[in-house]
Amino acid sequence: MNTYLVTGGAGFIGSNFVKYVLKKHPNTHLVILDNLTYAGNLGTIKDDLTNPKVTFIKGNISNPRVVKEIFEKHPIDFVVNFAAESHVDRSIENPQLFLKTNILGTQNLLDTAKKSWTTGKDESGYPIYRKGVKFLQVSTDEVYGSLGETGYFTETTPLDPRSPYSASKAAADMIVTAYAETYKMPVNITRCSNNYGPYHFPEKLIPLIIKNILEKKKLPVYGDGSNVRDWLYVEDHCKAIDSVLLHGRTGEVYNIGGHNEKKNIDIVKIIITTIKRLMEENPGYKSALKENNDSQQDNLEWITDDYLITFVKDRLGHDHRYAIDPTKITNELGWYPETKFEDGIVKTIRWYLENQDWVEKVTSGNYRKYYRQMYGNR
Ligand code: NAD
Ligand code: DAU
């Protein structure tokens, strides 16, 4: 029975990974370390926490004492490091927090894992590690920078981060590589494109657009909406991480992508059309609309591109296009993005329509203040 330390397990991808692993490997013991920032919510994993094989610890990945205690108490085999400050717009406002969490937090986890997993030294002085252990760093395609209209990121594309967020993730990748080279630590790095799916915090494009439609608010599209992202259903990402952890070649980087490039403006239009269609097919979904007066519920005519979309000031340093070439993980591990976008986006929108209580809980704190600062009173 493997014991995983899953950091950031109360966030979007981390919580989906917790659910995925518990289903796929029911004998696994999961230790979740999360300091529950605005993006981490215990409600997201409340059912998983009733599982006796799951231990939750509220704490900071940058805190040496907290992480050391975890390694002393639990026989950790795998570290899967999701914990991070993850939103590019917030990194533009407050870069330092991103450097502290994403770089120093990763280094602290690596250092503690190294000490705990070391069983001796070889004749050259390199540590010898307990058999079967691995540190997996969850990274992002943003470390490769921005693409023009053509081409793809491969694992050998040079790092060229352009935002404080992506610079902090690239630095974390480099410190992981440094531990692999200097101390021969068994590591993998995965670099994934944009995820979407359940439990996505509504500061990111897809859940923010869904939330705004339900509140009959304008849909803020940065610039002219021509920026391109490569969208991957979150469960497919979790499957890829599980596969790299268990079968990936130690020391390797694996790119994970959805083969699914879309312009932002097209994503927004797809969401508008899909919400309207789902409500027409199933009028029960109209109860998710916020101004729940009768006239709004009966009449969905205002759910149109023209009425809802507004083009707003562009993000500073906005990367134009990301696109992943996932050939390596497909060839080596047989992974591919199983969920077609047409299906994944419907599943996602249905989930939000059916889980408004989750949205309300996670946005009940500082979210309104954040929204006003970012978007004004639109
Ligand atoms: P998220 O913001 O939804 O969740 C981050 C989680 O980490 C939260 O639960 C938060 O409480 C926790 N956390 C933050 N700082 C912490 C700290 N100092 N100590 C302990 N816990 C802390 O992020 P996400 O979208 O789930 O992303 C998870 C990881 O995947 C990140 O490393 C991100 O860089 C990477 N990634 C995300 C995407 C994407 O599309 N969302 C794509 C590629 C890579
Ligand atoms: O590519 C992987 C990355 O994807 C991850 O590493 C990040 O953690 C994750 O947040 C995501 O970054 P993006 O910046 O691509 O995601 P976001 O949802 O913030 O924005 C997607 C695109 O939509 C981007 O081009 C900016 C645009 N956008 C975003 C918001 C929030 C808008 O046009 N309007 C908005 O209100």
Side-chain angles (χ1 to χ4, degrees), residues 29-33 48-49 51-57 74:
H29 179 203
L30 292 185
V31 180
I32 301 171
L33 172 63
D48 310 297
L49 297 182
N51 185 328
K53 295 209 171 68
V54 176
T55 306
F56 179 82
I57 292 146
H74 303 277

Side-chain angles (χ1 to χ4, degrees), residues 198-213:
Y199 303 110
H200 204 179
F201 192 78
E203 64 184 349
K204 310 283 168 61
L205 180 70
I206 289 183
L208 183 131
I209 294 300
I210 298 172
K211 183 173 190 298
N212 279 18
I213 295 176

Side-chain angles (χ1 to χ4, degrees), residues 86-89 140-142 165 192-195 200 203-206 208-209 220-222 227-229 231 264 315 318-319 322 375:
S86 69
H87 192 33
V88 175
D89 291 328
T140 169
D141 57 2
E142 299 201 11
Y165 162 72
C192 187
S193 61
N194 286 61
N195 285 218
H200 204 179
E203 64 184 349
K204 310 283 168 61
L205 180 70
I206 289 183
L208 183 131
I209 294 300
V221 175
Y222 297 166
N227 300 66
V228 173
R229 297 292 182 264
W231 293 94
N264 294 337
R315 173 184 281 175
H318 196 173
D319 287 344
Y322 305 140
Y375 301 98

Side-chain angles (χ1 to χ4, degrees), residues 7-14 33-41 59-62 81-87 101 138-141 165 169 191-196 199-201 203-204 237:
T7 70
F12 166 44
I13 308 176
L33 172 63
D34 196 305
N35 70 344
L36 302 178
T37 68
Y38 76 93
N41 295 282
N60 195 320
I61 56 166
S62 308
N81 184 25
F82 291 99
E85 288 296 333
S86 69
H87 192 33
T101 296
V138 181
S139 184
T140 169
D141 57 2
Y165 162 72
K169 292 295 288 186
R191 296 190 179 131
C192 187
S193 61
N194 286 61
N195 285 218
Y196 69 101
Y199 303 110
H200 204 179
F201 192 78
E203 64 184 349
K204 310 283 168 61
H237 183 194

Side-chain angles (χ1 to χ4, degrees), residues 295-314:
S295 60
Q296 183 166 329
Q297 288 211 5
D298 286 342
N299 175 4
L300 299 178
E301 277 163 23
W302 56 273
I303 307 187
T304 63
D305 299 353
D306 285 348
Y307 178 72
L308 288 168
I309 292 173
T310 175
F311 293 93
V312 299
K313 195 162 132 332
D314 209 354

Side-chain angles (χ1 to χ4, degrees), residues 183-245:
Y183 310 113
K184 302 278 178 247
M185 243 184 112
V187 303
N188 282 122
I189 297 173
T190 55
R191 296 190 179 131
C192 187
S193 61
N194 286 61
N195 285 218
Y196 69 101
Y199 303 110
H200 204 179
F201 192 78
E203 64 184 349
K204 310 283 168 61
L205 180 70
I206 289 183
L208 183 131
I209 294 300
I210 298 172
K211 183 173 190 298
N212 279 18
I213 295 176
L214 297 179
E215 293 174 8
K216 208 178 178 181
K217 272 193 186 155
K218 293 287 178 198
L219 312 181
V221 175
Y222 297 166
D224 62 2
S226 66
N227 300 66
V228 173
R229 297 292 182 264
D230 172 4
W231 293 94
L232 176 72
Y233 193 62
V234 65
E235 204 180 348
D236 287 338
H237 183 194
C238 295
K239 192 172 183 188
I241 289 176
D242 184 55
S243 184
V244 170
L245 195 58

